[in-house]
Amino acid sequence: GIPGLCVGGKSTMSSVAVLTQESFAEHRSGLAQQQVKVTALNSEEENDPPTYKEAFPPLPEKAPCLEAAQEPAGPWSKIRPIKASVITQVFHVPLEERKYKDMNQFGEGEQAKICLDIMQKTGAHLELSLAKDQGLSIMVSGKLEAVMKARKEIVARLQTQASATVAIPKEHHRFVIGKNGEKLQDLELKTATKIQIPRPDDPSNQIKITGTKEGIEKARHEILLISAEQDKRAVERLDVEKVYHPFIAGPYNKLVSELMQDTGTRINIPPPSVNKTEIVFTGEKEQLAQAVARVKKIYEEKANSFTVSSVSAPSWLHRFIIGKKGQNLAKITQQMPKVHIEFTEGEDKITLEGPTEDVNVAQEQIEVMVKDLINRMDYAEINVDHKFHRHLIGKNGANINRIKDLYKVSVRIPPDNEKSNLIRIEGDPQGVQQAKKELLELASRMENERTKDLIIEQKFHRTIIGQKGERIREIREKFPEVIINFPDPAHKSDIVQLRGPKNEVEKCTKYMQKMVADLVENSFSISVPIFKQFHKNIIGKGGANIKKIREESNTKIDLPAENSNSETIVITGKRANCEAARHRILAIQKELANITEVEVSIPSKLHNSLIGTKGRFIRSIMEECGGVHIHFPTEGSGSDTVTIRGPAQDVEKAKKQLLHLAEEKQTKSYTVDLRAKPEYHKFLIGKGGGNIRKVRDNTGARIIFPTSEDKDQELITIMGTEEAVKEAQKELEALIKNLDNVVEDSMAVDPKHHRHFVIRRGQVLREIADEYGGVMVSFPRSGTQSDKVTLKGAKDCVEAAKKRIQEIIEDLEAQVTIECTIPQKFHRSIMGPKGSRIQQITRDYGVQIKFPDREENPAPVAEPAVQENGEDGGEGKDGKDADPSSPKKCDIIIISGRREKCEAAKEALQALVPVTIEVEVPFDLHRYIIGQKGSGIRKMMDEFEVNIQVPAPELQSDIITITGLATNLDRAKVGLLERVKELQAEQEDRALRSFKLTVTVDPKYHPKIIGRKGAVITQIRTEHEVNIQFPDKDDETQAQDQITITGYEKNAEAARDAIMKIVGELEQMVSEDVTLDHRVHARIIGARGKAIRKIMDEFKVDIRFPQSGAPDPNCVTVTGLPENVEEAIDHILNLEEEYLADVVDNEAMQVYMKPSSHEESKAPSKGFVVRDAPWATVNNEKAPDMSSSEDFPSFGAQVAPKTLPWGPKR
């Protein structure tokens, strides 16, 4: 354990006693800070410098009573402590014995895993901490036996193991083992070691002990004791107080070893870590008596010179007696290192042990200290509800530290887990009273505070807190006295707590409620169903359309993922903005397709029943009518209008159904639920809904199947009039019953068609199984040449699947392959983005389309790059003689399927071939059409979905070519010509704008026309919309008095007049020199020229001060209109008079302040000098040369301070 923390629960302190954990660590590593008296070098003592030993006293040796410190003697050691059922022990693993020394990983890695494992195994609770010397302290609490087990585990797994052997007679081994090995187990547990006893057939008598150093000592002691008891020789026990054991053992056990050798007796002294006082002697009678006598003699000698006494001191004063980091005590313990001083928590006394005369001196010193402290110190205790404690402490202790520093007191606030209300203030009596008053005031202020709970939906909490807490920081700065607490996100609570002075809380509440109202207003959300095929048009190229709508309507618009089945677009923002955005999105859809919108009036009370649970009912209508969108008004709006949107005929169909249903609902509505396996649903519905439509037409009832989102996938709902529902139920039940009746059937399929069914991991078969109630279709294994295909499933399903397979075979039989020749360069545009156009055609016409491989570098004579397997590649053998009119292999697209379908697909493909037209555009406009970095041309290409090619500049050609689908070409051509018109208009305007005018102005006036930082000229430029060019000073060739103005003619003339007006004013100006004492210049100019600027503005003049090093440092020039110059000069001269008086006074003061001349000539200081230093030779009394790098080597190179780009850190 740690010295000074004994297992029995009584806290004791070692000689340099400090109450903190760190000081244990310091004490252990011998670092207790010793007070060093450095002799002050006053002027009187200068002739007699201190000796080296006085200035740098050596560190004291380790106090010899360290071991004594671990077990206090005195009356207290006799009382048996009462054992608590839950005990806590602290074990210490020194750095050198730690198994895991990886410092970066404290709290993770192996060590933490092992601790968790030990806690689970033993049921004890472990807490780890690192001491200052990097040793590991482990606090273990729990039931005694759990703690013992845990300790054993800790030692075995966290401490590096040492081992030792102990020899005892072989016949004593069995007593160490005990009955059934219990004794040995108990011993191992108690000492946290592993004890290996040689087997009975092994002649060795050495017992091996493995564990920590401390554990080995204990185990060894116990084993020797057991052996001593069994020894036939005499045994005697001598009770000697623990304090005296080290004196008997001697340094490194030297004394006791000598004694054992001299007398031939075995003497067993318990190690310091074992809480026993008796020493056991074993040996022959006479020798034993001799040994006991010698030990008693040592004991008596020491006991007479050893005293234990106590000083009474209130326990609250103990920490002041100890002093900061043990400084006060250190003074005493340094003088009398043999005295051990012990403070016991909660007792009003201090115990001293040690040599009699030393104890008396120390006692006197402590008594004086106590007396002085009692006179100087006072304490007060106040009661403050513990919930306010953290507010009294303040953030990072700011509040409490301020009080401590201000009143020079120490304030002790109990830790949170104690839930105690008692706060104790100690220190100077007056300070204690003031601190008490202030703390009570603060507490009463807090009691007057009020706490208010605000209900704010949890979804807004993150927004209110803001990114990295920015927004909440603003609120807290606005209301610094209000404490705002948000609930933990995991608790799903909406309550935000505000606490502080009543009116501040009210203000903050209002502010936050307004903020929430804004958020609520901005989080209105509507969903707009839009046909999936139009989503890409709403997004626009590169997201342009959606971005524009988002920005202009100031809303957030979320589109479903491309691969999801959802059609709904969600718009979030202010209500009005959401409506506007929705309107725009619907307008795009309406424009793109033949979409009609119809409104039907249905009483609002029926809306819920028409929508059905979770919208199942209405969804079934929408799907049945080709996916139209039906929009009901929001609940509670009272509106009866239902909107249907979609292709015209579907809308009509849906309208009929809705009205029919509404009528039915009003008359009589009846529902029944049926259950059927989900794989049967597709079959019950039939291809394109054929089967279910038949049932509906026969009975007039509606049948609703679950969608993929529904939880219950087996539930089928039938709605309608009672008899219709019953009839439909009967039909469906019969169908389902049939499906449950599983049959097996087979059919013959020519093996050449098998591949079609099983390729792509059997996709065709999977589709058949999906569609026909999960029928299992098995084809024979490839290579068996059998044509028998077996089908297993419900009778009806098997029949339908057989029919479908027959149809597929017919299709395959009737399949033809045709070629469609389209030049390779168009293939990419035909395929469309990600092949979308081709996929559309294959779906629409049920054909397969194969594009040829690309020809790498199509040279006219190159051999065709691609040969299909099995093809002869006739012309490939002799490419040069190939018929030039025959199409190139890389241009042939192959289409396979039924003949009529293939033909239709071929036409569709040819319609996608881009066409090229030429448009004449004047060559000088080409660069404007292309635009900056090609942005102009790119925009047009995106807008019209065509490719526009501008000829290279060196060709000087006017012809621009446009390539694309025929439908897009006309639009593109019109758009291009419109752009040309715009550009020509701009060109004309540019010509008008480039009118030039020059005006002659003397260069000396140029700076005035330009103005400070160009202010005057910029104003003229912007006011008249012209460009004004001044001559370049460094260019000799330019006329230095010519200013050029460019712009529209009338603007240029107006700007010229403005400049000439300024010149006219400048020509009337005069310049005067005035003599001003240079000592007052700085004051007249002011900080950063503030004062002089004020004077210049006030008198409308320009004032120039001489440059440093000018021939006349007192000459100042003032320029401006004559009357202004006069006034300004008067003003400056008045200031000079006033400031000069101050200057003269200051100089007079300086004379008195100057040090007298004889002081200046004094010899430089000798620095810090000591006598008898190790470096001083006998005849050399000189102080060391501090500049010598040999005597005083430097510690490495000095690191240059890091320069930051933003200047020094503040």
Side-chain angles (χ1 to χ4, degrees):
I2 295 173
L5 268 195
C6 296
V7 174
K10 191 172 96 173
S11 154
T12 66
M13 302 296 302
S14 49
S15 13
V16 182
V18 190
L19 288 166
T20 60
Q21 171 72 34
E22 289 95 297
S23 61
F24 284 137
E26 278 186 9
H27 177 63
R28 195 180 311 104
S29 48
L31 292 177
Q33 292 184 356
Q34 314 291 0
Q35 277 286 44
V36 176
K37 283 189 190 163
V38 179
T39 322
L41 286 177
N42 295 338
S43 46
E44 304 95 308
E45 292 180 359
E46 232 170 36
N47 309 330
D48 189 16
T51 65
Y52 180 76
K53 281 263 172 57
E54 281 169 3
F56 307 107
L59 289 174
E61 298 295 319
K62 261 196 180 178
C65 54
L66 246 184
E67 306 197 356
Q70 294 178 340
E71 190 48 59
W76 286 102
S77 48
K78 303 284 187 289
I79 295 178
R80 299 289 309 181
I82 297 168
K83 287 271 169 60
S85 63
V86 172
I87 67 157
T88 300
Q89 288 198 14
V90 178
F91 305 116
H92 190 78
V93 182
L95 174 64
E96 58 278 8
E97 289 182 24
R98 272 178 60 190
K99 220 179 229 177
Y100 302 100
K101 293 188 185 158
D102 190 0
M103 301 303 171
N104 336 348
Q105 283 204 323
F106 188 66
E108 40 181 320
E110 277 309 297
Q111 191 163 274
K113 281 186 204 149
I114 288 173
C115 289
L116 282 174
D117 188 41
I118 295 175
M119 296 211 282
Q120 280 164 356
K121 256 197 202 163
T122 62
H125 178 69
L126 270 66
E127 274 184 36
L128 273 75
S129 62
L130 268 185
K132 263 194 182 161
D133 61 357
Q134 297 298 336
L136 194 64
S137 292
I138 305 166
M139 189 165 92
V140 186
S141 42
K143 294 271 194 298
L144 179 64
E145 136 197 33
V147 171
M148 295 317 256
K149 276 190 191 151
R151 183 176 77 168
K152 188 174 173 191
E153 290 275 334
I154 289 169
V155 167
R157 294 169 68 180
L158 294 182
Q159 221 165 335
T160 49
Q161 306 288 299
S163 65
T165 54
V166 55
I168 62 166
K170 188 90 180 156
E171 59 273 16
H172 295 174
H173 286 196
R174 62 198 184 88
F175 298 106
V176 176
I177 297 168
K179 193 177 177 185
N180 298 336
E182 277 171 17
K183 182 88 179 166
L184 181 63
Q185 266 179 347
D186 187 44
L187 193 58
E188 284 186 331
L189 202 60
K190 230 165 59 186
T191 60
T193 54
K194 177 91 187 81
I195 300 172
Q196 287 166 306
I197 295 177
R199 301 182 59 78
D201 48 18
D202 187 344
S204 159
N205 64 352
Q206 298 279 351
I207 294 178
K208 188 176 179 196
I209 312 169
T210 315
T212 61
K213 237 163 53 193
E214 191 183 36
I216 291 172
E217 276 177 3
K218 286 188 189 177
R220 200 179 143 171
H221 174 69
E222 292 291 336
I223 290 171
L224 287 172
L225 273 186
I226 294 168
S227 171
E229 277 170 19
Q230 301 312 320
D231 211 316
K232 297 286 174 285
R233 295 175 295 173
V235 173
E236 187 162 332
R237 288 181 166 73
L238 181 63
D239 207 358
V240 176
E241 282 168 58
K242 195 95 180 151
V243 181
Y244 301 110
H245 289 193
F247 301 115
I248 293 166
Y252 302 113
N253 289 329
K254 206 161 129 198
L255 274 179
V256 79
S257 312
E258 277 173 17
L259 203 64
M260 293 205 282
Q261 264 177 354
D262 294 353
T263 60
T265 314
R266 202 157 78 197
I267 302 172
N268 194 353
I269 301 177
S273 49
V274 175
N275 203 353
K276 281 191 182 170
T277 54
E278 55 185 33
I279 298 176
V280 182
F281 301 82
T282 323
E284 302 302 331
K285 274 233 171 83
E286 306 77 54
Q287 289 165 326
L288 188 122
Q290 200 183 338
V292 173
R294 274 172 71 174
V295 168
K296 274 187 175 161
K297 188 175 167 213
I298 296 173
Y299 166 58
E300 275 156 12
E301 267 174 25
K302 290 290 169 199
N304 293 339
S305 65
F306 200 85
T307 319
V308 174
S309 85
S310 66
V311 176
S312 67
S315 61
W316 64 274
L317 276 181
H318 289 188
R319 32 196 288 276
F320 298 105
I321 296 169
I322 293 166
K324 195 169 184 181
K325 290 199 177 165
Q327 282 171 353
N328 295 351
L329 255 200
K331 291 177 191 165
I332 299 174
T333 50
Q334 266 172 14
Q335 291 169 12
M336 288 151 295
K338 291 183 182 165
V339 177
H340 169 64
I341 305 171
E342 184 186 306
F343 296 80
T344 311
E345 188 99 12
E347 275 187 29
D348 290 343
K349 67 170 196 176
I350 301 166
T351 315
L352 304 142
E353 311 176 344
T356 317
E357 61 270 28
D358 284 5
V359 168
N360 293 341
V361 179
Q363 187 171 348
E364 256 172 57
Q365 290 191 1
I366 291 178
E367 277 170 355
V368 169
M369 242 186 202
V370 171
K371 204 166 172 186
D372 173 50
L373 283 170
I374 289 177
N375 293 339
R376 272 195 307 114
M377 301 290 257
D378 192 7
Y379 75 92
E381 286 179 345
I382 56 174
N383 267 312
V384 174
D385 193 335
H386 67 262
K387 65 174 180 249
F388 298 138
H389 288 186
R390 43 188 267 260
H391 306 297
L392 289 181
I393 293 168
K395 195 170 182 180
N396 298 336
N399 210 2
I400 204 74
N401 289 340
R402 180 184 60 77
I403 292 176
K404 284 180 179 173
D405 296 344
L406 189 63
Y407 303 120
K408 306 277 180 285
V409 291
S410 80
V411 182
R412 312 196 60 183
I413 294 178
D416 281 352
N417 51 13
E418 280 183 25
K419 298 263 184 283
S420 154
N421 293 348
L422 198 68
I423 294 179
R424 191 181 167 102
I425 310 163
E426 301 168 352
D428 168 62
Q430 194 182 352
V432 168
Q433 290 314 315
Q434 286 169 315
K436 174 178 174 178
K437 185 172 154 208
E438 178 159 348
L439 283 172
L440 286 171
E441 269 174 22
L442 271 173
S444 73
R445 244 205 345 253
M446 281 171 200
E447 278 162 1
N448 295 336
E449 278 186 353
R450 61 169 302 188
T451 302
K452 183 158 187 174
D453 287 349
L454 258 184
I455 306 288
I456 297 177
E457 273 186 81
Q458 192 171 20
K459 64 179 179 190
F460 296 132
H461 292 189
R462 277 183 61 182
T463 322
I464 293 172
I465 292 167
Q467 206 175 7
K468 291 188 185 161
E470 276 169 20
R471 291 182 72 172
I472 196 71
R473 209 174 302 125
E474 275 174 35
I475 300 176
R476 285 188 172 135
E477 280 164 13
K478 222 177 182 125
F479 304 102
E481 293 179 58
V482 180
I483 292 161
I484 305 169
N485 279 329
F486 283 87
D488 186 352
H491 291 165
K492 298 271 177 282
S493 157
D494 292 344
I495 295 174
V496 177
Q497 201 182 56
L498 308 181
R499 201 182 60 247
K502 193 169 169 184
N503 44 358
E504 284 297 300
V505 168
E506 285 306 325
K507 281 188 209 160
C508 186
T509 307
K510 281 204 183 101
Y511 181 81
M512 284 181 78
Q513 279 168 338
K514 181 176 181 300
M515 198 170 173
V516 173
D518 286 350
L519 286 175
V520 171
E521 188 186 349
N522 285 326
S523 62
F524 176 77
S525 155
I526 45 179
S527 305
V528 195
I530 293 291
F531 294 102
K532 194 81 181 174
Q533 65 263 38
F534 301 132
H535 282 202
K536 58 176 190 294
N537 304 80
I538 285 164
I539 294 168
K541 188 96 178 199
N545 289 356
I546 196 80
K547 197 168 164 195
K548 194 171 170 198
I549 298 174
R550 278 180 184 141
E551 282 170 5
E552 288 177 12
S553 64
N554 192 14
T555 53
K556 178 169 169 258
I557 302 174
D558 293 309
L559 286 104
E562 222 172 296
N563 48 13
S564 81
N565 293 328
S566 161
E567 295 190 326
T568 313
I569 295 176
V570 181
I571 309 171
T572 318
K574 289 200 165 129
R575 191 183 192 122
N577 295 352
C578 289
E579 296 288 355
R582 169 174 154 195
H583 183 70
R584 288 183 63 165
I585 289 175
L586 288 174
I588 293 177
Q589 172 173 270
K590 205 165 181 178
E591 217 174 275
L592 288 167
N594 140 33
I595 298 284
T596 51
E597 196 174 283
V598 178
E599 291 186 346
V600 209
S601 182
I602 293 175
S604 55
K605 62 172 188 248
L606 294 176
H607 290 186
N608 273 351
S609 59
L610 281 176
I611 293 169
T613 45
K614 293 200 179 149
R616 278 179 64 191
F617 193 36
I618 199 70
R619 209 177 303 129
S620 75
I621 298 178
M622 298 201 304
E623 277 163 18
E624 192 183 315
C625 302
V628 294
H629 292 150
I630 301 175
H631 179 69
F632 283 84
T634 47
E635 231 180 314
S637 64
S639 160
D640 290 349
T641 313
V642 177
T643 317
I644 309 172
R645 199 181 299 118
Q649 66 267 42
D650 291 340
V651 168
E652 214 29 63
K653 196 166 157 196
K655 178 179 171 180
K656 261 195 203 142
Q657 286 220 19
L658 262 183
L659 290 169
H660 175 67
L661 276 167
E663 209 171 285
E664 239 177 45
K665 287 264 178 223
Q666 267 173 307
T667 50
K668 44 198 176 299
S669 172
Y670 185 72
T671 42
V672 161
D673 288 346
L674 266 183
R675 304 189 85 77
K677 287 188 190 158
E679 53 267 30
Y680 294 161
H681 291 190
K682 260 199 170 150
F683 184 72
L684 290 173
I685 294 166
K687 193 161 184 181
N691 298 355
I692 209 70
R693 203 175 304 118
K694 220 153 70 196
V695 176
R696 192 174 297 151
D697 295 346
N698 292 348
T699 62
R702 278 202 75 78
I703 298 153
I704 300 167
F705 285 85
T707 63
S708 55
E709 280 93 53
D710 288 339
K711 276 233 179 78
D712 190 344
Q713 287 289 315
E714 292 190 356
L715 190 73
I716 302 172
T717 311
I718 311 173
M719 302 174 101
T721 58
E722 191 167 347
E723 62 267 27
V725 167
K726 290 212 164 138
E727 205 168 314
Q729 184 180 3
K730 214 155 86 195
E731 282 195 32
L732 274 175
E733 276 171 348
L735 276 171
I736 293 168
K737 195 169 174 195
N738 239 348
L739 288 175
D740 284 338
N741 168 19
V742 176
V743 297
E744 195 168 313
D745 199 352
S746 63
M747 63 186 291
V749 175
D750 190 334
K752 70 178 180 192
H753 297 312
H754 290 192
R755 185 166 176 274
H756 174 79
F757 289 96
V758 296
I759 52 170
R760 294 204 301 283
R761 301 209 194 110
Q763 193 175 345
V764 179
L765 292 182
R766 275 208 302 275
E767 284 168 10
I768 292 175
D770 274 355
E771 206 167 314
Y772 301 106
V775 169
M776 277 175 61
V777 184
S778 312
F779 276 74
R781 301 260 299 273
S782 60
T784 53
Q785 288 308 313
S786 155
D787 65 354
K788 184 179 174 195
V789 172
T790 50
L791 296 94
K792 189 175 177 187
K795 192 167 178 218
D796 295 0
C797 295
V798 168
E799 286 308 317
K802 264 168 84 172
K803 203 167 146 201
R804 174 77 187 115
I805 291 174
Q806 219 48 64
E807 276 172 21
I808 293 174
I809 292 168
E810 269 171 42
D811 269 357
L812 290 171
E813 300 278 357
Q815 194 171 52
V816 296
T817 301
I818 63 167
E819 292 180 350
C820 168
T821 308
I822 293 174
Q824 181 179 1
K825 61 181 178 191
F826 299 134
H827 290 188
R828 283 183 69 170
S829 65
I830 291 174
M831 286 180 183
K834 292 186 184 164
S836 56
R837 291 178 180 159
I838 284 304
Q839 286 161 5
Q840 189 66 38
I841 294 177
T842 51
R843 270 201 301 274
D844 293 353
Y845 299 102
V847 293
Q848 285 182 318
I849 300 175
K850 184 172 188 308
F851 278 80
D853 292 347
R854 286 183 71 92
E855 191 173 55
E856 280 314 317
N857 41 356
V861 225
E863 291 200 4
V866 186
Q867 287 186 27
E868 289 289 318
N869 289 348
E871 280 185 18
D872 178 17
E875 81 257 33
K877 289 191 184 117
D878 190 3
K880 290 179 187 136
D881 309 339
D883 176 7
S885 62
S886 72
K888 278 166 90 186
K889 195 128 192 205
C890 58
D891 294 343
I892 296 173
I893 299 170
I894 294 166
I895 308 171
S896 30
R898 285 189 167 240
R899 178 168 292 283
E900 63 278 14
K901 296 273 178 73
C902 287
E903 291 299 338
K906 182 176 177 177
E907 275 173 34
L909 272 179
Q910 280 166 337
L912 288 174
V913 175
V915 193
T916 303
I917 56 167
E918 294 183 343
V919 185
E920 202 168 320
V921 174
F923 175 73
D924 56 346
L925 295 180
H926 289 193
R927 61 199 191 98
Y928 301 114
I929 285 171
I930 294 170
Q932 203 174 11
K933 290 188 182 165
S935 59
I937 201 155
R938 227 184 352 259
K939 188 172 170 222
M940 285 167 79
M941 294 192 333
D942 292 348
E943 196 176 328
F944 303 119
E945 293 182 11
V946 291
N947 187 13
I948 302 175
Q949 260 185 321
V950 179
E954 55 271 17
L955 296 178
Q956 297 275 321
S957 160
D958 289 350
I959 303 294
I960 289 182
T961 51
I962 307 177
T963 312
L965 300 184
T967 46
N968 295 340
L969 284 183
D970 294 341
R971 277 175 51 232
K973 183 175 176 178
V974 172
L976 181 60
L977 292 173
E978 269 179 16
R979 177 79 183 119
V980 170
K981 266 192 204 144
E982 276 173 33
L983 288 169
Q984 283 169 336
E986 275 177 29
Q987 241 179 348
E988 285 166 22
D989 186 54
R990 212 174 295 127
L992 288 174
R993 262 213 313 269
S994 54
F995 175 77
K996 259 195 188 158
L997 236 185
T998 50
V999 52
T1000 310
V1001 174
D1002 189 333
K1004 70 176 180 192
Y1005 297 137
H1006 289 190
K1008 284 289 173 204
I1009 295 171
I1010 293 168
R1012 190 149 178 268
K1013 290 187 182 165
V1016 179
I1017 201 70
T1018 309
Q1019 196 184 346
I1020 298 175
R1021 278 184 184 139
T1022 47
E1023 205 173 302
H1024 300 288
E1025 293 177 348
V1026 290
N1027 185 13
I1028 302 173
Q1029 222 43 56
F1030 283 84
D1032 187 350
K1033 282 188 190 142
D1034 307 329
D1035 190 350
E1036 304 285 321
T1037 57
Q1038 272 184 327
Q1040 290 294 315
D1041 58 355
Q1042 297 290 316
I1043 298 176
T1044 312
I1045 307 171
T1046 317
Y1048 289 121
E1049 192 172 349
K1050 63 173 195 300
N1051 292 2
E1053 285 169 355
R1056 178 190 60 193
D1057 296 345
I1059 289 175
M1060 293 317 286
K1061 185 176 169 212
I1062 294 173
V1063 174
E1065 281 175 10
L1066 289 172
E1067 282 172 341
Q1068 292 175 8
M1069 287 195 180
V1070 295
S1071 276
E1072 273 195 42
D1073 288 351
V1074 53
T1075 305
L1076 266 192
D1077 191 314
H1078 64 89
R1079 289 172 296 179
V1080 300
H1081 288 193
R1083 278 193 72 179
I1084 290 175
I1085 292 168
R1088 295 199 187 149
K1090 229 179 186 173
I1092 196 70
R1093 216 172 300 129
K1094 197 171 164 197
I1095 298 172
M1096 289 185 346
D1097 291 348
E1098 195 179 323
F1099 296 102
K1100 298 193 174 48
V1101 292
D1102 182 47
I1103 303 173
R1104 298 263 159 229
F1105 284 84
Q1107 302 253 319
S1108 56
D1112 180 0
N1114 299 335
C1115 177
V1116 176
T1117 310
V1118 185
T1119 311
L1121 294 177
E1123 61 274 19
N1124 293 353
V1125 170
E1126 286 302 318
E1127 283 176 21
I1129 289 176
D1130 283 350
H1131 181 72
I1132 295 173
L1133 291 171
N1134 286 342
L1135 287 176
E1136 177 195 27
E1137 208 170 295
E1138 193 180 310
Y1139 295 158
L1140 261 178
D1142 293 353
V1143 171
V1144 174
D1145 289 354
N1146 272 346
E1147 283 173 355
M1149 283 301 286
Q1150 288 301 322
V1151 176
Y1152 292 112
M1153 302 296 281
K1154 255 193 187 167
S1156 55
S1157 53
H1158 72 273
E1159 271 178 331
E1160 285 171 22
S1161 59
K1162 208 178 111 181
S1165 152
K1166 279 196 293 194
F1168 179 68
V1169 185
V1170 290
R1171 289 179 291 135
D1172 307 340
W1175 58 76
T1177 50
V1178 186
N1179 52 4
N1180 185 6
E1181 271 299 325
K1182 209 168 80 231
D1185 172 15
M1186 298 209 194
S1187 60
S1188 150
S1189 60
E1190 223 167 284
D1191 293 349
F1192 293 93
S1194 64
F1195 285 123
Q1198 182 184 1
V1199 180
K1202 209 171 183 185
T1203 53
L1204 295 171
W1206 310 112
K1209 278 192 186 166
R1210 290 204 164 77

